[in-house]
């Protein structure tokens, strides 16, 4: 551990392209927050910013990461000699087709050239959960609508998104408009239940996830304040979800509502639900899996060992001002800036890293405007897990004109994403809304530096 | 073949560490030996207006010619028109493969790559489409998934599974599928060009986005970020050609990992990729290198020419040669030459590329 720490210090000193003042700042105890992923950080702000292997992987881990990369990019087809097993029902045909450049997906659904990168989760209150404690499944559909199918099969439904514009204004009178989505689901089978609950989901970025997985459970539990005992108006709860591998309830970490315990299960679920590709963890009714355990493991490993892009402009006055305001208005209470990973049994590269993810991994009530009104394990219909903000500044270069934010891609800019905050984040949102233009731009400059 | 975004490799960290350590002190990047320029506008303008737009203009023209050849073959499916059709498909591959050397921007995030060049194709789905009674027209193909349209579905329809198709083998539905798929490809190529010249889906023309890199530009907030994008696209292409496109089939001895299996055009695809890198370099980044060191420029051009020469030495067709153990050395030599070019760019040129911030 000491050796790891020494290497970490050396890397920070050299990677930071340091000036003497920067070095002094570090030596005086200020950790370099540009190294957002600790030693897994890499200085890349190109459109491939999220696609790099963590630079501290050993050769064995690097080879496994590369194999996982191939599998993450693999396009599945119905049958044939290469990558068979797609469907018959699915949302998209490869991991990377939705996680564009390993970032978030585009807010698209249907048969256009971008296909369905959004998906719709469904459940009914009286439905039978597919796993203990989970959402009630919709008979004949399950908990996710597959809106594509192999040739010769029918998808479960076609889905259309309509948007309503909601005008508003900043404190200085500058107008803005927020769009809220509504779904038109046309089933190909029988009618949908009248009490159907839906949740539109935009794929999240997949880099840095191994670090989040390596945060000790007690650290996350200690950040929780379910009864708001400190009276700051912000609570934060953990989700507890079923792990079919251990057959027990565990801390939920991943997914928009922290409804998945670990990345292996996340990958297994994506293969089965998003692509119709059965696997050794989730067979989905198949007698034999479409992919091997080796492929599943490598895909999960790929998402565990991607580099986190380095933050930029640390000493830019506007960014410094934005960071101060970010903390002043309590954004950082949920978007926790600094955490430390524990020992990782996935890769030594992930162990004991000081990271700057800007998440507490907790569920927060975000108000009725963002609510999907669809409980997911212990998460209520208004709760969402705090998304990490590291790398969010590279979203535009990765996704270009398709860059959107929040769980369903409704926010067309970072400003809109902030303005949608409500519930526990109402005070922070209002502070931003009533800031001067200079202050708002400083906050945005800080976010774009991450 | 699906565009693969380039990646750093671990050894790059060592280079970064070294450069970072050497530059500690804060003044080395601004002293008289600094290779950095005050303005990179000429490089960005050259990439947009002398490489990307002309390449996509050519792509649009060649795709239209392929569509016309498909229509002509459907009207008169004779040997002459069949040969013209095959030549048109091969010609339409050249600008697409050259374009992989600057495969950033709308070609990726607007979905063109997936819809135009997905691999593998869905052979079962194609058979089902051909056996079904539904009319096959443009709207039908537009609604199909990416593995049921694009270059390689067209290639399969033209050449057949064993590359031995003759005009008499074509069914009426295959011709309908071919014509509709070629029209769709043509439309996509036109849209891709538009994305750089006039903008699509409400976005600004991507050429403007690239050439206006700097403060206020959300995608490229500095010129350095844009120059780095060009650099990584080039080196990423070299990496993919060597390690995936050639190295993959060689290592795994799997025909379904080969770039253009049915047409046996893979060697030409590889050369187009490398020549695309050479075009990008000689039109844009060379402007930077020439101001620093003439010798470096000659080394880089020499490496790329050596890579192209080694590709030329592989006995065609690659689709057969790759399974011949006696030819493995020549294939490996091409891989090595391409990787040598990549390494030269990463070790020699990268220090001249300004950091994004």
């Amino acid at each position: 551990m000491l050796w790891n720490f020494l290497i970490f210090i050396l890397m920070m000193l050299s990677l930071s392209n340091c000036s003497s003042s920067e070095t002094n700042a570090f030596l005086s105890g200020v950790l370099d927050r540009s190294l957002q992923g600790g030693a897994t950080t890499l200085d890349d702000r190109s459109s491939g910013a999220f696609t790099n292997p963590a630079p501290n992987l050993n050769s064995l881990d690097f080879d496994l990461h590369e194999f996982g990369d191939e599998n993450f990019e693999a396009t599945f087809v119905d049958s044939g000699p290469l990558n068979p097993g797609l469907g018959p029902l699915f949302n998209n045909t490869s991991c990377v087709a939705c996680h564009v450049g390993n970032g978030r997906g585009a807010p698209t659904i249907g048969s256009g050239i971008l296909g369905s990168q959004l998906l719709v989760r469904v459940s009914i209150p009286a439905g039978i959960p597919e796993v203990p404690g989970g959402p009630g499944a919709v008979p004949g559909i399950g908990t996710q609508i597959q809106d594509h199918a192999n040739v010769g099969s029918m998808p479960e439904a076609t889905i259309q998104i309509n948007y309503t514009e909601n005008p508003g204004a900043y404190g200085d009178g500058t107008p803005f408009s927020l769009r809220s989505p509504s779904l038109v689901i046309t089933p190909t089978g029988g009618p949908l239940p009248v009490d159907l609950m839906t949740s539109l989901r935009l794929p999240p970025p997949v880099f840095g996830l191994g670090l989040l997985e390596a945060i000790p459970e007690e650290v996350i539990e200690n950040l929780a304040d379910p009864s708001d005992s400190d009276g700051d108006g912000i609570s934060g709860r953990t989700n507890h979800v079923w792990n079919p591998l251990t057959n027990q309830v565990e801390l939920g970490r991943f997914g928009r509502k922290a409804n998945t315990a670990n990345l292996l299960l996340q990958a297994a679920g994506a293969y089965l639900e998003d692509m119709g590709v059965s696997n050794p963890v989730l067979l989905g009714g198949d007698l034999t899996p479409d992919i091997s355990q080796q492929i599943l493991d490598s895909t999960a490993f790929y998402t565990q060992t991607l580099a986190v892009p380095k933050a930029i402009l640390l000493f830019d006055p506007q960014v410094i001002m934005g960071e101060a305001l970010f903390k002043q208005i309590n954004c950082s209470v949920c978007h926790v800036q600094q955490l430390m990973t524990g020992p990782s049994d996935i890769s030594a590269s992930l162990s004991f890293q000081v990271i700057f993810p800007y998440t507490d991994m907790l569920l927060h009530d975000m108000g009725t405007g963002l609510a999907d009104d669809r409980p997911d394990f212990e998460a209520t219909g208004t709760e969402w897990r705090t998304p990490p903000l590291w790398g969010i500044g590279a979203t535009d270069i990765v996704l270009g004109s398709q860059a959107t934010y929040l769980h369903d891609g409704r926010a067309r800019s970072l400003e809109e994403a902030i303005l949608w905050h409500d519930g526990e984040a109402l005070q922070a949102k209002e502070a931003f809304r009533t800031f001067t233009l200079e202050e708002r731009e400083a906050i945005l400059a800080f976010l774009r530096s991450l | 073949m699906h565009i693969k975004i380039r990646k750093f490799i671990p050894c790059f960290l060592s280079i970064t560490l070294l450069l970072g350590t050497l530059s500690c002190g804060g003044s080395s990047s601004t002293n008289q030996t600094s290779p950095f320029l005050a303005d990179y506008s000429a490089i960005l303008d050259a990439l947009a207006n002398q490489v990307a737009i002309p390449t996509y203009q050519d792509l649009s023209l060649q795709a239209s010619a392929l569509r016309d050849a498909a229509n002509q073959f459907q009207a008169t499916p004779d040997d002459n028109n069949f040969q013209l059709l095959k030549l048109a498909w091969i010609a339409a591959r050249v600008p697409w493969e050259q374009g992989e050397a600057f495969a950033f921007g709308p070609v990726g995030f607007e979905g063109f790559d997936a819809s135009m060049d997905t691999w593998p194709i869905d052979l079962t789905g194609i058979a089902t489409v051909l056996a079904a009674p539904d009319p096959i027209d443009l709207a039908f193909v537009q609604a199909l998934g990416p593995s049921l349209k694009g270059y390689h579905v067209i290639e399969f329809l033209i050449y057949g599974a064993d590359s031995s198709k003759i005009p008499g083998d074509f069914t009426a539905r295959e011709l309908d599928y071919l014509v509709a798929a070629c029209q769709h490809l043509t439309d996509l190529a036109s849209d891709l060009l538009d994305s750089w010249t006039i903008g699509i889906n409400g976005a600004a023309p991507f050429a403007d986005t690239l050439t206006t890199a700097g403060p206020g530009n959300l995608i490229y907030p500095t010129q350095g970020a844009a120059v780095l994008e060009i650099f990584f696209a080039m080196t990423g292409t070299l990496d993919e050609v060597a390690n995936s496109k050639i190295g993959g089939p060689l290592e795994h001895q799997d025909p379904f990992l080969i770039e253009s299996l049915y047409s046996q055009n893979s060697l030409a695809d590889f050369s187009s990729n490398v020549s695309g890198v050479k075009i990008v370099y000689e039109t844009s980044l060379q402007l930077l290198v020439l101001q620093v060191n003439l010798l470096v420029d000659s080394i880089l051009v020499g490496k790329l020419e050596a890579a192209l020469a080694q590709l030329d030495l592989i006995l065609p067709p690659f689709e057969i040669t790759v399974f011949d153990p006696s030819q493995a050395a020549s294939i490996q030599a091409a891989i090595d030459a391409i990787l040598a070019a990549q390494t030269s760019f990463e070790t020699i040129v990268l220090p001249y590329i300004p950091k994004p911030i």
Side-chain angles (χ1 to χ4, degrees):
Chain A
M1 184 173 169
L2 177 61
W3 179 238
N4 283 343
F5 186 65
L6 288 172
I7 292 175
F8 178 66
I9 289 176
L10 283 171
M11 289 194 64
M12 286 206 289
L13 285 171
S14 42
L15 272 175
S16 61
N17 212 10
C18 44
S19 67
S20 58
S21 62
E22 294 168 63
T23 307
N24 290 338
F26 169 74
L27 292 176
S28 65
V30 181
L31 278 169
D32 184 352
R33 70 164 181 79
S34 73
L35 298 178
Q36 303 188 100
T40 74
T41 306
L42 206 59
D43 187 2
D44 180 4
R45 304 293 284 195
S46 74
S47 58
F50 304 153
T51 65
N52 302 298
N56 61 340
L57 297 180
N58 63 35
S59 62
L60 283 176
D61 283 353
F62 180 77
D63 289 345
L64 181 56
H65 179 98
E66 288 292 277
F67 182 52
D69 186 8
E70 291 174 18
N71 294 319
F72 197 82
E73 294 202 13
T75 296
F76 283 86
V77 293
D78 182 350
S79 60
L82 187 63
N83 309 334
L86 179 71
L89 303 176
F90 58 91
N91 298 104
N92 218 316
T93 58
S94 69
C95 304
V96 77
C98 290
H99 300 279
V100 177
N102 291 351
R104 63 203 69 219
T108 59
I109 204 159
S111 60
I113 71 169
L114 287 164
S116 289
Q117 298 184 23
L118 289 161
L119 59 80
V120 177
R121 295 268 167 78
V122 291
S123 54
I124 53 175
I128 299 171
E130 293 174 332
V131 295
V138 180
I141 291 180
T143 56
Q144 180 170 317
I145 293 177
Q146 281 87 24
D147 64 332
H148 289 73
N150 287 333
V151 179
S153 298
M154 290 291 287
E156 290 174 326
T158 58
I159 301 169
Q160 182 183 334
I161 304 173
N162 296 322
Y163 290 100
T164 303
E165 293 290 341
N166 307 282
Y170 288 106
D172 61 10
T174 304
F176 59 75
S177 182
L178 305 178
R179 64 174 188 176
S180 51
S182 60
L183 298 175
V184 178
I185 302 172
T186 307
T188 56
L192 296 168
V194 293
D195 54 353
L196 184 76
M197 297 180 287
T198 63
S199 186
L200 185 63
R201 304 287 179 91
L202 186 77
V206 298
F207 63 87
L209 301 185
L211 295 166
L212 300 181
E213 195 171 43
I215 298 170
E217 186 168 332
E218 57 269 26
V219 171
I220 298 171
E221 295 282 4
N222 286 339
L223 288 170
D225 182 16
S227 57
D228 190 20
S229 57
D230 61 4
D232 65 356
I234 299 170
S235 56
R237 299 195 310 129
T238 47
N239 201 352
H240 296 92
V241 303
W242 184 253
N243 181 339
L245 291 172
T246 59
N247 282 326
Q248 63 185 22
V249 173
E250 296 180 2
L251 176 72
R253 290 176 187 260
F254 300 103
R256 298 291 189 179
K257 284 180 178 274
N259 67 350
T260 307
N262 60 50
L263 293 168
L264 182 64
L265 290 170
Q266 186 79 14
Y271 269 120
L272 183 66
E273 293 288 338
D274 301 355
M275 295 184 277
V277 175
S278 61
N279 54 80
V281 170
L282 295 174
L283 277 168
D286 284 2
L287 294 176
T288 56
D290 293 319
I291 59 170
S292 66
Q293 184 75 48
Q294 184 188 24
I295 288 175
L296 176 62
D297 289 345
S298 72
T299 304
F301 189 80
Y302 178 71
T303 66
Q304 287 161 329
T305 53
L306 284 161
V308 177
K310 186 178 178 181
I312 57 176
L313 290 169
L314 258 64
F315 299 95
D316 180 280
Q318 190 182 35
V319 170
I320 291 171
M321 176 182 175
E323 182 180 9
L325 292 171
F326 183 83
K327 293 174 179 173
Q328 176 189 314
I329 64 175
N330 280 346
C331 303
S332 55
V333 173
C334 303
H335 291 287
V336 172
Q337 189 176 39
Q338 182 182 326
L339 293 168
M340 185 168 180
T341 66
S344 170
D345 55 3
I346 301 297
S347 169
S349 62
L350 305 172
S351 299
F352 307 113
Q353 298 297 322
V354 177
I355 60 175
F356 297 81
Y358 303 89
T359 177
D360 57 6
M361 302 291 283
L362 297 174
L363 299 169
H364 294 274
D365 181 342
M366 294 299 291
T368 55
L370 287 176
D372 65 357
D373 297 319
R374 178 181 178 270
D376 203 342
F377 291 95
E378 295 177 9
T380 69
T382 60
E383 285 181 318
W384 299 96
R385 191 205 65 167
T386 310
L389 299 181
W390 52 11
I392 201 166
T395 303
D396 281 307
I397 196 171
V398 173
L399 274 157
S401 56
Q402 296 295 336
T404 59
Y405 305 89
L406 296 178
H407 65 274
D408 53 11
R410 70 176 67 193
R412 293 161 290 196
S413 65
L414 289 170
E415 298 97 307
E416 289 188 13
I418 297 169
L419 291 166
W420 268 111
H421 282 55
D422 200 345
E424 295 175 36
L426 176 62
Q427 286 184 319
K429 185 275 293 286
E430 274 302 291
F432 175 79
R433 193 186 67 80
T434 54
F435 271 164
T436 64
L437 177 61
E438 181 188 18
E439 291 168 327
R440 297 199 304 268
E441 290 188 342
I443 289 260
L444 297 172
F446 168 65
L447 293 174
R448 292 186 186 117
S449 77
L450 299 180
Chain B
M1 192 71 71
H2 191 75
I3 292 172
K4 184 181 175 70
I5 296 174
R6 69 56 232 103
K7 294 177 301 183
F8 287 94
I9 54 177
C11 69
F12 177 72
L13 176 68
S14 305
I15 299 167
T16 310
L17 280 166
L18 178 63
L19 293 173
T21 304
L22 291 176
S23 64
C24 277
S27 61
S28 64
S29 64
T30 55
N31 64 20
Q32 291 184 340
T33 62
S34 170
F36 302 138
L37 307 178
D39 186 2
Y40 295 85
S41 298
I43 291 170
L44 302 177
D45 183 75
L47 190 285
N49 294 306
Q50 295 178 45
V51 181
I53 289 176
T55 301
Y56 288 144
Q57 283 171 333
D58 188 30
L59 177 69
S60 185
L61 285 173
Q62 298 299 340
S64 298
L66 173 61
R67 175 206 53 201
D68 294 345
N71 284 330
Q72 189 170 319
F73 181 65
Q74 184 181 42
T76 310
D78 60 19
D79 286 338
N80 183 58
N81 285 336
F82 188 45
Q83 293 307 315
L84 293 174
L85 176 63
K86 289 196 224 180
L87 289 173
W89 187 87
I90 288 169
R93 287 294 285 176
V94 174
W96 175 258
E97 293 296 307
Q98 288 180 338
E100 289 194 2
F102 55 92
F104 52 81
V107 69
F109 60 67
E110 296 289 2
F112 291 106
D113 177 44
S115 285
M116 294 174 74
D117 200 29
T118 280
W119 183 262
I121 58 174
D122 183 355
L123 297 174
T124 305
I126 292 170
T128 305
V129 166
L130 292 172
D134 312 289
I136 305 175
D137 55 16
L138 177 60
F140 179 87
V141 169
Q142 284 172 332
L144 292 174
S147 54
L148 290 160
K149 57 191 178 187
Y151 273 110
H152 294 297
V153 169
I154 295 169
E155 179 193 21
F156 175 78
L157 290 169
I158 295 173
Y159 290 89
D162 58 0
S163 310
S164 63
K165 209 165 174 181
I166 60 174
D169 293 335
F170 282 80
T171 67
R173 287 185 65 79
E174 283 179 318
L175 291 170
D176 288 344
Y177 199 169
L178 174 69
V179 166
C182 287
Q183 181 61 57
H184 187 46
L185 188 80
T186 303
D187 294 344
L188 292 173
S190 175
D191 290 345
L192 176 55
L193 173 61
D194 286 348
S195 72
W196 276 74
T197 55
I198 59 175
I200 62 170
N201 298 332
F206 199 74
D208 291 356
T209 299
L210 188 70
T211 56
T212 60
N217 185 321
L218 293 181
I219 293 183
Y220 300 113
T222 66
Q223 288 189 328
V227 174
L228 199 64
E229 181 90 295
I230 297 170
F231 176 83
F232 281 145
M234 293 167 56
T235 54
T237 299
L238 295 172
D239 172 69
E240 187 189 2
V241 176
N243 289 319
S244 296
K245 293 189 175 188
I246 305 177
L250 180 64
E251 178 185 353
H252 299 290
Q253 293 288 289
D254 182 347
F256 289 96
L257 297 178
I258 295 174
E259 174 85 0
S260 291
L261 174 65
Y262 305 116
S263 60
Q264 300 190 338
N265 191 56
S266 300
L267 267 179
D269 286 344
F270 306 153
S271 292
S272 292
N273 289 152
V274 177
S275 67
V277 171
K278 190 163 179 282
I279 291 167
V280 169
Y281 172 68
E282 292 183 329
T283 312
S284 62
L285 281 186
Q286 190 180 50
L287 297 171
L288 168 63
V289 174
L290 282 175
Q291 296 196 41
V292 179
N293 194 321
L294 288 174
L295 178 61
V296 165
D297 176 63
S298 66
I299 291 172
L300 295 171
V301 173
K303 293 283 187 183
L304 290 172
E305 288 176 345
L308 287 167
Q310 286 295 339
L311 283 170
D312 282 343
L313 291 176
I314 296 175
L315 184 67
F318 178 80
E319 292 73 12
I320 293 174
T321 301
V322 73
F323 300 112
D324 181 353
S326 72
Q327 300 299 315
S330 72
I331 296 174
Q332 188 60 52
I335 292 173
D336 294 343
I338 297 168
L339 290 177
Q342 180 191 351
T343 301
S344 295
F345 275 93
E346 289 178 342
T347 56
I348 299 174
V349 180
L350 189 55
Y352 299 146
I353 306 289
K355 288 288 183 187
I357 301 295

